[in-house]
């Protein structure tokens, strides 16, 4: 989460999720900023949902790629 908050591409994704109504902490209501919107977009495993229905989030594919790469690099073991 810290990486996402500092990366401009990840910030763009988070802002788009917020614009369409996803809220930090509302994952139990299927409206969570991270679990229901950000994570599916960045991981590529699924689509954002609200109330069990897919939601179209207008994000730039290059932002998704850059954010995914930044998060993956942060979790890569140091040698």
């Amino acid at each position: 989460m810290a990486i996402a908050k500092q990366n401009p591409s990840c910030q763009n994704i988070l802002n788009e999720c917020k614009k369409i109504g996803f809220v930090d902490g509302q994952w139990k209501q299927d409206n969570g900023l991270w679990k229901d919107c950000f994570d599916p977009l960045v991981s590529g495993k699924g689509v954002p949902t609200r109330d069990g229905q897919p939601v179209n989030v207008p994000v730039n594919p290059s932002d998704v790629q850059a954010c995914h790469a930044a998060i993956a690099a942060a979790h890569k073991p140091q040698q």
Side-chain angles (χ1 to χ4, degrees):
M1 222 190 304
I3 301 302
K5 289 181 178 180
Q6 297 171 0
N7 181 285
S9 294
C10 295
Q11 281 297 310
N12 290 340
I13 296 167
L14 287 167
N15 288 334
E16 289 300 326
C17 288
K18 288 177 184 177
K19 281 182 190 176
I20 61 171
F22 286 95
V23 179
D24 195 11
Q26 286 194 355
W27 59 273
K28 287 184 181 180
Q29 291 84 15
D30 196 24
N31 193 42
L33 178 62
W34 297 95
K35 179 185 171 287
D36 301 312
C37 188
F38 182 85
D39 291 345
L41 286 170
V42 175
S43 72
K45 298 176 183 174
V47 295
T49 61
R50 182 179 292 125
D51 298 326
Q53 300 298 314
V55 176
N56 183 30
V57 182
V59 294
N60 185 327
S62 62
D63 281 337
V64 174
Q65 289 176 333
C67 181
H68 178 80
I71 291 171
H75 290 96
K76 190 174 184 178
Q78 299 292 324
Q79 294 185 8

